[in-house]
Structures are given as C-alpha cells and as structure tokens.
Amino acid sequence: MLREAIYHRPKNNFAYAYDKDTLHIVLQTKKDDVESVSLIFGDPYDWKDEMWQTQILEMTKSGTTDLHDYWFSAVKPEFHRMRYGFQCSDKTETIYYTEGGIYSTPPMEIANYFCFPYLNKADVFTPPSWVKDTVWYQIFPERFSNGDRSNDPEGTLAWGSTDPSPTNHFGGDFQGVIDHLDHIVDLGIGGIYFTPIFKAHSNHKYDTIDYMEIDPQFGDKETFRRLVKECHNRGIRVMLDAVFNHSGYYFPAFQDVLENQEKSKYKEWFHLWNFPVKSEPRPNYDTFAFVGSMPKLNTENHEVREYLLNVARYWIEEFDIDGWRLDVANEVDHAFWREFRQVVKEAKPDAYILGEIWHDSMPWLQGDQFDAVMNYPFTNAAIEYFGKNEINAEDFASTITKVLHMYPKHVNEVAFNLLDSHDTPRILTLADNNFDRVKLLYLFQLSFIGTPCIYYGDEIGMAGGQDPGCRACMEWDEQYQDRQLFNFVKSLNKLRKNEPVFGNKADFRIVKADNSKNYVIYEKFNAEKKLIFVLNNSSNTLQVDLQEITDQDLLEWNMEG
Amino acid sequence: MLREAIYHRPKNNFAYAYDKDTLHIVLQTKKDDVESVSLIFGDPYDWKDEMWQTQILEMTKSGTTDLHDYWFSAVKPEFHRMRYGFQCSDKTETIYYTEGGIYSTPPMEIANYFCFPYLNKADVFTPPSWVKDTVWYQIFPERFSNGDRSNDPEGTLAWGSTDPSPTNHFGGDFQGVIDHLDHIVDLGIGGIYFTPIFKAHSNHKYDTIDYMEIDPQFGDKETFRRLVKECHNRGIRVMLDAVFNHSGYYFPAFQDVLENQEKSKYKEWFHLWNFPVKSEPRPNYDTFAFVGSMPKLNTENHEVREYLLNVARYWIEEFDIDGWRLDVANEVDHAFWREFRQVVKEAKPDAYILGEIWHDSMPWLQGDQFDAVMNYPFTNAAIEYFGKNEINAEDFASTITKVLHMYPKHVNEVAFNLLDSHDTPRILTLADNNFDRVKLLYLFQLSFIGTPCIYYGDEIGMAGGQDPGCRACMEWDEQYQDRQLFNFVKSLNKLRKNEPVFGNKADFRIVKADNSKNYVIYEKFNAEKKLIFVLNNSSNTLQVDLQEITDQDLLEWNMEG
C-alpha cells in the first residue's frame, strides 16, 4: 500500500459537521491502491476495563482522480464527540492510519487517533436553505434593457447600435429589468445577481463613488425598491455586488485624501505609502491590481469597517435584498468578513453571502465567513471539456471529482456554478459558436450539484469575447434570439425543479470517462432513484451499452433538445 | 517522482503569513524522492506582453519524517499578493505542481497556480512577544505551599503527611506561593500557570461554583492581587485556568435549573435533553465526559457568553493577569473563542491565550482564536523516547520533525511545551526513576523551539503516578530535594536566556538519528551561529565523530550536569 499518498486532516473537506448531528469523514489514498477502508471510531470518554470502546464502519469510495481515490462515511456520534482512525486493506496487508501515523495494528493510545472534539451547532456551516433550489441569472444592468430613456446618461447610444466598448453607455436600467421579468420567470430563474448598481462613473460601476446611492442612470431608490418587490412577487431573490476591497477614485474619502493629504481625516481609510499621495505615474498607495483609480480600502480601520458594515445592513434593511456578492473577496481580511457575516445574518438570517474567489476557497467556507464562492474550478473544467474540447474525458472526470472533493458536501450544494460572466468570454464564443457544445455545457451545469448561474443573453445564444465583448446589449428581438436554446435551458430548469435527483438533492458520481470515443457517463442518485447521464462530447454517433453500467432496468430518455 | 505524495494547500502550516510582509511556503514530497524543489512565484497582476511575470527561488529541505520530506521558502511579495507553484526535479524528470494539478511544463494559465491572495495584517497570527522568552512553571495551588493556616479548609492534613487522594486537602494557598517566589526566580522562571483558583469544592477546583470569586482556601482577592504584584515585581507573568467548557454542579445557574426545572431562567445555559433534569443514574444533559457534576455550558447562548466574557475581562482588568489557559478548549465552539480573543486582547493586548488541546490544533491557531495549545504531540515524542525508551531514535526524529511541520513557525515558537502536568504521571516516574533520563528530557525540552513548562516539584526530583499521585505536596525540605537536578535545570534556563541559539531564537533540525547506538544529533542555528546537540539515550558510552556532521571548527562542551 502506498503509505505516502494517504492523507486526512480534520476540520475542512476531510472532516466536517454536515449538520448538528452528523460528521462527514473523507480519506485520500492512492488511486486503485487500497481495496477497502473502514472507519474505526468511538466516543473519547467511552471506556470499559481500561479499553477505549470503538465501532467499525466500512467506507464508500466516493470518487477517483488521476492520482487519488477518496473514501467517505457519514456518522452521527451520540454525544457529539469522536475520535477515529482508518483501517486500510489491500490484498497483502492491513494498516491503521491515525493522527499519530501509520501502524500495523490499531494503536492502543487514544491520543494517537484523529479528533473531532465536539459538534457545536454554532460552528456548523449553514447556508440559507433556499439557495439549494435556486437557479441564478446574472445581469449587467447597463446592458440588459433600457426601460426609461429619461435617466440615460449623456452620450447614451441607441440600444445595440454598436459593439460594447470599455466606456460606452446604452442606458440599461431597473425599469428595463422590471419590463422583462417575464422572460426571467419563463426561463425558470429563482434569483438575480446584479453587478454593481451604486453611484459610479464607469458603465460597470466597479469604481464606486457612493455606496449609499443608486447610480442615477439605473433609476432611483424607489425604482430599485419596486424592482425588488416585483422580483419577490415572482419568487425571485435579489443579490447585489459589494465592492468593498477598493473604492473608486471619486469616492469622497479618497478625494479628501488627495485634497488634504496628511491633514485628511480619511488618511487611515487607505493604505498610503507616503505623502503627497498621487496616482501618476504610479500610485503610491495600495490599489486593486495596479489600478490607481481603485485605491484599496483599509478594512482594518474601525471607521472603514463601520462604514462598510452599515452599507451591508442598509440595503438589506431598507430594500430587502437577499444576498451580497463580494468583489475581490479574498484580498480583504478574514476578520472583516467575519464581522460582515454577523451583521448581514443579523439583518436577514437567510441572506446569501457569495465571495468572488477564483481559487481553492476552503478558508472562507468554514461557516464563519461566506456561504459560497464563484466556483471557477468547476467553470474551467466544464469549459475546457465541453466548451473547447481541450482536455480529454478522463482529465475532465478527474478534475470534476477533485472539485467535488475540495469542499464539504453542503458547501458544494450551494456553490455558485457559473459557466461564464462579465469577466470572461461568453460560452457560445468559448465553444466556437457550436450550439451543441453550449447545450452540453448547460446539461452538465444544470444537472450538477450546486446553484447554477446563467449569464444574461447566453440563454438566447448571444456571443461575445473577453470584456468588453461579453457585455453587449441584450437581444430582445425574438427573431434574433435562439428560441430553441432558450427552450432547452428552460426545460432543464424545469427538470431541475421537478425531479429532485436531476436537481440539487442527490449525489453525483462519475461512472465512466472514455477518451477514445470522447464521452462521459455520470450518475445522480439518492436512496430511491438513480439517473444516468451519457454525454457524448464528440461529433460522432455514440453507442453505449448501459448494461455494462448497471444491471437494473433502465428507462431511456434521449436529450435532443 | 511519486506524484501521489506531493501535497500543499494554502492558509495553514503549508502557506501562511509569518509577519505582515513575509510568506512562508512549505511543500511535502515523498521521503528521499525529489532532489530539488524551486518556488515559482509572482504578483498576479504583473503581466508583460500577455505573459505573467514570475521569479524562481530554490527551496530548502527543512526536515524528513518516516514518509515525507518538507521543503521551505520565505518570500516577501512586494505588493503583498502572490500566485505560486512548485518545480520539482529528480534525476529523470522535472514536474510542475500547482493548484490545478501536476504538469510536465509550467502551466500558462495563472488560475492554475496556488493563491495567497493578500497579506492582510489583521489576519497575521500574532502572539505576545514576551512569550517566546518565557519558561513556565505550573502550580497546582492546593499542593505548592501552605503559607496561611488560617484559611485551611476543614479537615486539612499536615503538609505531605500522607499521599494525595482525589479528595484530601493540604491547605496550599497564595501566601505559600508568595513565600516561595525566590525558589521560582532562582530556577529562572518567567511565568506561572496556576490550575483553577476560583471557588469550588474539590481540591483541583475544576468544578467551578463561582468564576468571580477566589476559593477562600487560597486566600482572598487582596492576597491574589498581592501575589500578582509580587510576581510582576520579579518579572514573572501570571496565567489562570479558565474552565469555560463546563461549570461545577454547585454553580448557582445549574442549581437553579435543578430547583426550578422548566421554569428556571437558566435553562438555556446548559444543553438539557428533557425534564426533569437529573444527574442520576445517568445525567440527561450534556456534560464533560460523562461526569454529571460537570454540566456543559451552552456557549451559544447570549447570556452565557456575556457572563464568561465578563469573567475573562474581570481578572485581567482588576488583577492584571497576563494570560488564560483554557480547559477542554476544543469542545467549546470556535465562535465563542473568537469573541473571547477580542475581549481578552482589548483588555490586555499582550495577554497569552493557551488552549488545552491534546491533538493537532491548526483550526485554533490561525490568528483568530488561540496563541498556543498545550503541545502534547511534543510531550508524547519526548516521553516515549527519552523518558521510556519505548521508541527508537529514528521514530523520535521523525515524530519531532512532524511536530515542527504541523504548524507555522511562529506558532511553534510559542507552543506550550510541557513534559508532564497535573493530568499525567510525573517525568521521574515515567522515566522509571532514572535521573539521567530526566536530564535528557530537560535538555531536549529547554533547547527546543517553543515555550517550555516545568511542573512544580519535577525540578527537585519529585515522583508521582497518574492523578492523584502527581499532585503531591511540594517538598520544601532541601535535604529531600535533588539539588543537583535543580541546578541542572537552572543552568539550562540560564543558557536558554543568555544564548539565543540555545534558546528560542534559532531554527531546529535533526542531523542524525542512530537506532543501533540509540542517539540523536540535532542542531540549533541562525545566520551567525550553530549549536550541535548530541544526546546519548543509551546507558553506554558514546563516541561520535563530529567531523562527519560538519567541517567547521567545533568548540566542544560536555553537558554532564
């Protein structure tokens, strides 16, 4: 057995409280190396005749990557405490893996075992329950619909009259969204994620001037209140974008610094290196990336924290929004996000907190900070396989299995699974304008574990490259919309809703990945039912003998869209 | 190269902010498998001609366990942000290990690399600076010295007149400690850790009745205030024991529950399963272990939190104590400890927070909860090797290397390294009354990284088995004290203080572990100086050719004690 590949460590994706009574335990071993794994466990205080009392439970192989197998067990320790170890067997030997190391017989000393000390409810990762059943729709407000010409900024162009540029404006606004809620309802959406709506000069509004004001080009607070109400009336939640890592250049506090320099009462609001503060030729203060017009906010400063936390509270309490998406979330300190969570959950216990993090995000998903992150590792695997055909079926299967084993199960269940966004090319463009590939992407996304997000316009076949290309005006003329694609996505959303095993209430497992014929088979299952998905990623007709996969009777259903 | 054994994940012992400017990066590979490892790193926003700009830095092998090698680098990213990967080479190949997996050429996509998003000062683990130079002394107050007969509880026995039992009393008190501070100063101590001193019936006081009152058998608040002052006058810090996981049976809130049952206003203070609450034959409420007289406190309840946090604040503000040791710390929720840290550090920014955890404790040592834990993995390795000779030299070396790689460097520097305590047999008893073994234990403990603790009486050769045996009355009659041992420990403490490389201001590395002759060689070193320690764990004379170890000129110094 390859001892060097065996890995486990408590209090992350390898061992966590799934709910207040249940622990999930995961073990990593080398791929195809171990034949069976059992969990040895017991209450640390349960002794008889000076012997620690244990039970044993066979673990299930939950997935395989290019290098590793993963083994899973769920346990409900009666007194909420557990010590445990692993018994691993292959054809030639049985070994015992514990915190103390690897042994040939079960160690007698309880101190050697792994420890999950206590299942305290306060520490359980608890996302809002509605998120699991939500399909999101992302709107870039400047480009969704111009419903009110009276609030158009100077120089607004006719809708869709030209390509989007980094600086042009088309007058999209809240009234436009309200006007088109039917489209969103028809598609089967449960939540809208709006990129920033607060006062800012740019068309994307990531350079905030005033976090307490709606940008007038979108409407006013009353329009926004009406928008939220209209959404709620239709069972649609509303999530806003919080750009708290940095402010815009014209944020009054930063302007005050530029004007009053060392005398500014806001000089502690930023990370200034020296005086005089200047943004040219290179900023002498911390910024987002190297963008002088986006000075990084000093969230360690008490006043800044108070200000931003007040913003977080205000839009929930006054406008009843349902979630915050946090821009550049991983560059802000954890301490701030912990306070942020307390404030948000106090204002609305079932608000959703979504961090923009493109990487492995375990440190933010422990229950004390975010409910979810934008799941780009999922995105990348899906795009590279179904979108671009750049990786083979086995690599795709391996990566998706890795993605699912990166986080606890309840973290995966509310992960924000996007295929593209305002920060990437659109899926149709990524897929080289191949609609079949786009359909495979949607089928995979919408049958996967997590909470999927559709980027506005993708559902009717809009194309577009990297920003600004992906931010074009929504196409409302049905004759230019791909209605077949729309209906395909709509029918998937219906399935997701009406068939729990298709949707977010089942387990996922890769069954087969075939490089030569370029297809993958995966299954979604719960105790009662199993759905088998065969996704042909080649342009050839595929014949698969499903009797190889299962000996159960099969009901076949061909997803032709 | 064995790909399956390679492991890294950010934001724990593998990647952490050592200070506000410095990141430490650690990689695990299979033992003796990889010849060299280099860190490839850069600022995520530093691009030129569409190419991400990186640097490369060779990593140092920092240690080897039975299964793995560890590689280390320290980096100061100019803009406090970093993406990075590892280039690993052996004789036949070079591979690139990143978050995305293992590649044969460096991946082009920056999203594939590991991410340390931002070095925010607020998140840096920052223990009090004085702890690094502190040698602790643990006092079990009932058994250290009876300085005031007037506060003796009924039935107090003559000092040392009989063996300690779970229930007898010998009248130890604060005046006794004050009377003997010279002994403690003479030994070279910088801090005293007192087991509980609050009102309780038992001799150990872990069954608190009143967290706001001194147990009268120890003196009153004025005596305690004087004790703290006398300690501070001698440069000695004072740490108290906070038993916040559970109260005692006679804690008024629990008594109120027993009396008023469902009508008790304290019924939310505990985890009651049903009514009527009763402790016999089995408690129907959560307890410490299965001890009905120690009901677990519900630290999720707002009132309980307020009460306990007030206790934490009170003894700092009113009596100027310097630290809290937290009993059964890992069974209390993380959320409570986060609040606790805020309250304690607000009251005294350089107070020390020490958790009682016997296992791997990374989740509590991320900067938001504890400064240290009681380092039992260190204890076990030292006792099993030097104390009992139950493991061989290589196993010892492997375990100690593992212990050092379990946590970040600054966590190790303030780890509470005990050899025994009121919860274990005394070292002399563990070492089968062999004083040479006890000396080896002290030499190792006091030359190691961390903050060592001496259990009262060990330094003068007291013996004693598992509780209650280890809680005997301190021997004050010099003719029964082992003064040679005392002087040995005292001289080690002096070395630790006067020779930074001997003490806590150097790196530690195992140089050699020899099973057949049963010895280990380790070195402590900084940029200027290196000390080589040869510890002969056998009863035979040992000849070692140090020219094998180093080609530098050596100054020899034989530690005969």
Side-chain angles (χ1 to χ4, degrees):
Chain A
M1 221 173 303
L2 192 73
R3 288 159 163 75
E4 291 86 351
I6 301 178
Y7 187 85
H8 176 86
R9 198 174 195 185
K11 297 235 171 183
N12 48 43
N13 50 314
F14 286 98
Y16 57 90
Y18 180 67
D19 58 38
K20 70 179 184 41
D21 299 311
T22 315
L23 289 181
H24 284 182
I25 305 291
V26 176
L27 180 73
Q28 170 193 291
T29 61
K30 175 174 157 36
K31 177 182 179 177
D32 297 335
D33 185 44
V34 178
E35 290 202 338
S36 70
V37 177
S38 292
L39 186 73
I40 302 171
F41 66 99
D43 186 287
Y45 305 107
D46 185 11
W47 293 71
K48 213 165 142 180
D49 305 330
E50 302 202 348
M51 285 281 292
W52 178 43
Q53 302 298 300
T54 58
Q55 292 175 264
I56 188 155
L57 177 69
E58 191 164 350
M59 300 183 77
T60 311
K61 196 189 281 191
S62 58
T64 298
T65 68
D66 54 340
L67 296 174
H68 297 114
D69 286 341
Y70 291 95
W71 304 81
F72 175 88
S73 271
V75 194
K76 288 180 193 280
E78 189 179 353
F79 300 100
H80 296 112
R81 312 171 289 219
M82 199 164 97
R83 300 292 181 279
Y84 60 100
F86 302 93
Q87 174 185 295
C88 308
S89 302
D90 64 8
K91 283 207 171 52
T92 63
E93 61 173 344
T94 292
I95 61 168
Y96 297 86
Y97 172 60
T98 65
E99 187 179 307
I102 290 176
Y103 303 85
S104 54
T105 55
M108 300 299 290
E109 266 295 329
I110 192 171
N112 278 325
Y113 285 80
F114 287 108
C115 169
F116 202 102
Y118 208 91
L119 229 159
N120 285 298
K121 197 156 64 71
D123 295 330
V124 179
F125 174 86
T126 314
S129 58
W130 56 269
V131 177
K132 226 173 133 169
D133 297 317
T134 300
V135 176
W136 293 94
Y137 191 73
Q138 179 184 350
I139 289 180
F140 188 88
E142 224 277 316
R143 304 293 157 74
F144 190 65
S145 170
N146 188 346
D148 181 356
R149 303 297 314 251
S150 75
N151 59 25
D152 287 2
E154 224 186 284
T156 292
L157 303 166
W159 195 252
S161 58
T162 184
D163 286 341
S165 84
T167 51
N168 57 12
H169 283 80
F170 293 94
D173 52 27
F174 294 152
Q175 187 56 53
V177 178
I178 295 170
D179 294 345
H180 288 287
L181 283 176
D182 288 352
H183 172 85
I184 295 168
V185 170
D186 193 24
L187 187 58
I189 295 303
I192 301 175
Y193 151 42
F194 288 99
T195 58
I197 62 166
F198 305 137
K199 200 176 169 203
H201 285 319
S202 67
N203 53 32
H204 53 69
K205 313 291 177 200
Y206 279 99
D207 51 339
T208 321
I209 298 171
D210 192 336
Y211 293 87
M212 298 299 271
E213 292 298 333
I214 299 283
D215 191 281
Q217 86 156 91
F218 297 150
D220 59 16
K221 287 185 175 173
E222 281 321 302
T223 338
F224 181 62
R225 196 186 306 277
R226 195 153 48 84
L227 168 61
V228 175
K229 276 196 185 140
E230 295 291 346
C231 285
H232 285 178
N233 288 344
R234 292 164 174 81
I236 294 170
R237 315 263 172 169
V238 174
M239 174 161 63
L240 296 187
D241 205 321
V243 190
F244 287 180
N245 175 65
H246 52 269
S247 76
Y249 188 79
Y250 294 101
F251 183 53
F254 192 66
Q255 287 297 310
D256 192 274
V257 166
L258 292 178
E259 197 177 310
N260 298 306
Q261 296 287 343
E262 267 179 283
K263 284 177 194 139
S264 169
K265 61 178 180 169
Y266 296 104
K267 69 179 179 180
E268 298 297 330
W269 281 45
F270 305 92
H271 300 270
L272 310 175
W273 305 346
N274 45 49
F275 293 94
V277 174
K278 52 184 175 14
S279 54
E280 297 294 339
R282 281 208 124 188
N284 57 349
Y285 47 87
D286 288 3
T287 56
F288 168 68
F290 293 106
V291 183
S293 62
M294 293 180 170
K296 186 173 166 69
L297 285 161
N298 178 13
T299 42
E300 296 183 27
N301 177 271
H302 176 69
E303 287 169 25
V304 174
R305 280 207 307 276
E306 280 310 297
Y307 174 79
L308 295 175
L309 295 174
N310 190 39
V311 170
R313 200 184 291 112
Y314 176 75
W315 294 96
I316 294 176
E317 286 182 352
E318 295 295 320
F319 298 88
D320 202 19
I321 66 162
D322 307 289
W324 279 111
R325 179 264 190 190
L326 313 170
D327 191 54
V328 200
N330 57 354
E331 300 195 9
V332 177
D333 58 282
H334 294 280
F336 176 78
W337 291 131
R338 286 196 190 97
E339 250 186 284
F340 177 86
R341 184 181 185 85
Q342 282 181 351
V343 165
V344 166
K345 298 284 173 171
E346 223 172 85
K348 190 167 203 169
D350 72 343
Y352 180 53
I353 300 174
L354 168 67
E356 183 206 16
I357 304 188
W358 295 55
H359 288 266
D360 178 11
S361 306
M362 198 65 255
W364 291 267
L365 296 167
Q366 305 266 12
D368 58 328
Q369 294 167 67
F370 305 161
D371 294 315
V373 293
M374 301 180 84
N375 198 1
Y376 281 103
F378 158 90
T379 314
N380 297 339
I383 294 296
E384 283 170 17
Y385 185 56
F386 296 116
K388 299 180 173 179
N389 222 340
E390 276 180 4
I391 57 173
N392 63 38
E394 284 180 23
D395 286 347
F396 169 72
S398 169
T399 306
I400 282 300
T401 303
K402 213 190 279 180
V403 163
L404 277 180
H405 285 83
M406 261 168 79
Y407 301 132
K409 187 171 151 66
H410 47 358
V411 169
N412 290 328
E413 286 167 353
V414 294
F416 192 83
N417 291 340
L418 67 169
L419 293 171
D420 56 357
S421 74
H422 65 293
D423 279 335
T424 72
R426 285 184 181 271
I427 43 175
L428 184 61
T429 300
L430 288 167
D432 211 12
N433 292 302
N434 182 328
F435 278 87
D436 289 336
R437 298 198 160 285
V438 170
K439 285 181 185 167
L440 284 179
L441 279 168
Y442 275 128
L443 173 57
F444 179 67
Q445 179 198 31
L446 293 166
S447 63
F448 196 62
I449 308 292
T451 176
C453 183
I454 294 164
Y455 184 51
Y456 84 96
D458 281 0
E459 77 280 12
I460 45 110
M462 282 175 64
Q466 186 71 38
D467 158 28
C470 57
R471 302 174 180 184
C473 292
M474 176 71 178
E475 179 56 69
W476 289 112
D477 187 339
E478 288 215 1
Q479 63 170 307
Y480 298 113
Q481 292 186 345
D482 188 314
R483 295 306 296 178
Q484 204 214 8
L485 182 61
F486 179 87
N487 288 324
F488 179 83
V489 178
K490 178 178 162 176
S491 66
L492 290 176
N493 282 342
K494 255 192 206 144
L495 271 170
R496 193 170 171 89
K497 197 169 183 172
N498 300 332
E499 176 55 84
V501 179
F502 188 101
N504 207 1
K505 283 174 182 141
D507 283 314
F508 172 100
R509 187 161 49 205
I510 297 278
V511 177
K512 193 172 178 183
D514 186 304
N515 284 354
S516 62
K517 293 191 183 160
N518 199 9
Y519 68 91
V520 287
I521 305 181
Y522 57 86
E523 56 188 22
K524 294 283 295 296
F525 58 101
N526 62 19
E528 287 86 42
K529 201 169 187 176
K530 181 186 279 187
L531 290 180
I532 297 176
F533 293 77
V534 183
L535 270 68
N536 176 10
N537 198 35
S538 79
S539 43
N540 305 320
T541 308
L542 176 67
Q543 279 281 17
V544 173
D545 182 4
L546 287 179
Q547 298 305 331
E548 266 183 38
I549 308 300
T550 177
D551 48 10
Q552 290 174 286
D553 288 341
L554 291 169
L555 288 172
E556 208 164 316
W557 174 69
N558 210 344
M559 189 77 198
E560 294 275 352
Chain B
M1 220 174 305
L2 191 73
R3 287 159 164 74
E4 290 86 351
I6 301 178
Y7 188 83
H8 176 85
R9 198 172 196 185
K11 296 238 172 181
N12 47 44
N13 50 313
F14 286 98
Y16 57 89
Y18 180 67
D19 58 39
K20 70 179 183 47
D21 300 310
T22 315
L23 289 181
H24 284 182
I25 305 291
V26 175
L27 180 73
Q28 170 193 292
T29 62
K30 175 175 156 41
K31 177 181 179 179
D32 297 336
D33 185 44
V34 178
E35 290 203 334
S36 70
V37 177
S38 292
L39 186 72
I40 302 172
F41 66 99
D43 185 285
Y45 306 106
D46 186 10
W47 293 71
K48 214 164 141 180
D49 306 328
E50 304 201 346
M51 284 282 292
W52 179 43
Q53 302 298 299
T54 58
Q55 291 175 266
I56 188 155
L57 177 69
E58 190 163 352
M59 300 183 77
T60 310
K61 196 189 282 191
S62 58
T64 298
T65 68
D66 54 340
L67 296 175
H68 297 115
D69 286 341
Y70 292 95
W71 304 82
F72 175 88
S73 270
V75 193
K76 289 179 193 282
E78 190 178 354
F79 300 100
H80 296 111
R81 311 171 289 219
M82 199 164 97
R83 299 292 181 279
Y84 60 100
F86 303 93
Q87 172 185 296
C88 307
S89 302
D90 65 8
K91 282 206 172 54
T92 63
E93 61 174 342
T94 292
I95 61 168
Y96 297 85
Y97 172 60
T98 64
E99 187 179 307
I102 291 176
Y103 303 85
S104 54
T105 55
M108 299 302 289
E109 266 297 326
I110 192 172
N112 279 325
Y113 284 80
F114 287 109
C115 169
F116 202 102
Y118 207 91
L119 229 160
N120 286 298
K121 195 155 65 71
D123 296 329
V124 179
F125 174 86
T126 314
S129 57
W130 56 268
V131 177
K132 224 173 135 167
D133 296 318
T134 299
V135 176
W136 293 94
Y137 192 72
Q138 178 185 350
I139 290 180
F140 187 88
E142 224 277 316
R143 305 292 157 76
F144 190 65
S145 170
N146 188 345
D148 181 355
R149 303 297 312 254
S150 75
N151 59 24
D152 287 3
E154 224 186 283
T156 292
L157 303 167
W159 195 252
S161 57
T162 184
D163 287 341
S165 84
T167 52
N168 57 12
H169 282 81
F170 293 94
D173 52 27
F174 293 153
Q175 186 58 51
V177 179
I178 295 171
D179 295 345
H180 288 288
L181 283 176
D182 287 354
H183 172 84
I184 295 168
V185 170
D186 193 24
L187 187 58
I189 296 303
I192 301 175
Y193 150 42
F194 289 98
T195 57
I197 62 167
F198 305 136
K199 201 176 166 201
H201 287 317
S202 67
N203 53 32
H204 54 69
K205 313 291 176 201
Y206 278 99
D207 51 340
T208 321
I209 298 172
D210 191 337
Y211 293 87
M212 299 298 271
E213 291 299 331
I214 299 284
D215 191 281
Q217 87 156 93
F218 296 151
D220 59 16
K221 288 185 175 174
E222 280 321 300
T223 338
F224 181 62
R225 197 187 304 277
R226 194 152 50 83
L227 169 61
V228 175
K229 276 198 184 139
E230 294 291 346
C231 284
H232 285 178
N233 288 343
R234 291 163 176 82
I236 294 171
R237 315 264 172 165
V238 174
M239 175 161 62
L240 296 187
D241 206 322
V243 190
F244 287 180
N245 175 66
H246 51 269
S247 77
Y249 187 79
Y250 294 101
F251 183 54
F254 192 66
Q255 286 298 309
D256 192 274
V257 166
L258 291 178
E259 199 178 310
N260 298 307
Q261 295 287 343
E262 268 180 279
K263 286 177 192 138
S264 169
K265 60 178 181 170
Y266 297 103
K267 68 179 178 180
E268 298 297 329
W269 281 46
F270 305 93
H271 300 270
L272 311 175
W273 305 347
N274 44 50
F275 293 94
V277 173
K278 52 184 177 3
S279 53
E280 298 294 339
R282 282 208 125 189
N284 57 349
Y285 47 86
D286 287 3
T287 56
F288 168 67
F290 293 106
V291 183
S293 62
M294 292 180 169
K296 185 172 166 69
L297 286 160
N298 178 13
T299 42
E300 296 183 27
N301 177 273
H302 176 69
E303 287 170 26
V304 174
R305 280 207 309 275
E306 280 309 298
Y307 175 79
L308 294 175
L309 295 174
N310 190 38
V311 170
R313 199 184 291 112
Y314 176 76
W315 294 96
I316 295 175
E317 286 181 354
E318 295 295 320
F319 298 89
D320 202 18
I321 66 161
D322 307 289
W324 280 111
R325 180 263 189 192
L326 314 171
D327 191 54
V328 201
N330 56 354
E331 299 195 10
V332 178
D333 58 281
H334 294 280
F336 176 77
W337 291 132
R338 287 198 190 97
E339 248 185 287
F340 176 85
R341 183 181 186 87
Q342 282 181 353
V343 165
V344 165
K345 299 283 174 172
E346 220 171 88
K348 191 168 203 168
D350 72 342
Y352 181 52
I353 301 174
L354 169 66
E356 184 206 15
I357 304 188
W358 295 56
H359 287 266
D360 178 12
S361 306
M362 198 66 255
W364 292 266
L365 296 167
Q366 305 268 11
D368 58 327
Q369 294 167 65
F370 305 161
D371 295 315
V373 294
M374 301 180 85
N375 198 0
Y376 281 103
F378 158 90
T379 313
N380 297 340
I383 294 297
E384 283 171 16
Y385 185 57
F386 296 117
K388 300 179 172 179
N389 222 341
E390 276 181 4
I391 57 173
N392 64 36
E394 282 179 24
D395 286 346
F396 169 73
S398 169
T399 306
I400 283 299
T401 303
K402 213 190 278 180
V403 163
L404 277 180
H405 285 83
M406 260 168 79
Y407 302 131
K409 187 171 150 67
H410 46 358
V411 170
N412 289 328
E413 285 167 355
V414 293
F416 193 84
N417 291 340
L418 67 169
L419 293 171
D420 56 359
S421 74
H422 65 293
D423 280 333
T424 71
R426 285 184 180 271
I427 44 175
L428 185 60
T429 300
L430 288 169
D432 210 11
N433 292 303
N434 182 326
F435 278 87
D436 289 336
R437 297 199 162 284
V438 169
K439 285 182 185 167
L440 284 180
L441 278 168
Y442 274 129
L443 173 56
F444 179 67
Q445 179 198 33
L446 294 165
S447 63
F448 196 62
I449 309 292
T451 176
C453 183
I454 294 163
Y455 184 52
Y456 83 96
D458 280 0
E459 77 281 12
I460 45 112
M462 281 174 66
Q466 187 70 36
D467 159 26
C470 57
R471 302 175 180 184
C473 292
M474 175 72 178
E475 179 55 70
W476 288 113
D477 187 338
E478 287 214 3
Q479 64 171 307
Y480 297 112
Q481 293 186 342
D482 189 316
R483 296 306 295 176
Q484 204 213 9
L485 181 61
F486 179 87
N487 288 324
F488 179 82
V489 178
K490 177 177 163 176
S491 67
L492 290 177
N493 282 343
K494 254 191 206 146
L495 271 171
R496 193 169 171 88
K497 195 169 183 172
N498 300 332
E499 175 56 82
V501 179
F502 188 101
N504 208 0
K505 284 174 181 139
D507 283 314
F508 173 100
R509 185 161 49 206
I510 298 278
V511 177
K512 193 172 179 181
D514 186 304
N515 283 354
S516 62
K517 292 189 183 163
N518 198 8
Y519 68 91
V520 287
I521 305 181
Y522 58 86
E523 56 188 22
K524 296 281 297 293
F525 59 100
N526 62 19
E528 287 86 42
K529 201 170 186 174
K530 181 186 280 187
L531 290 180
I532 297 175
F533 293 78
V534 183
L535 270 69
N536 177 8
N537 198 34
S538 79
S539 44
N540 305 320
T541 308
L542 175 68
Q543 279 281 16
V544 173
D545 182 3
L546 287 178
Q547 298 305 329
E548 267 183 37
I549 308 299
T550 176
D551 48 11
Q552 288 174 290
D553 288 341
L554 292 169
L555 287 171
E556 209 164 315
W557 174 69
N558 209 343
M559 189 78 199
E560 294 275 352

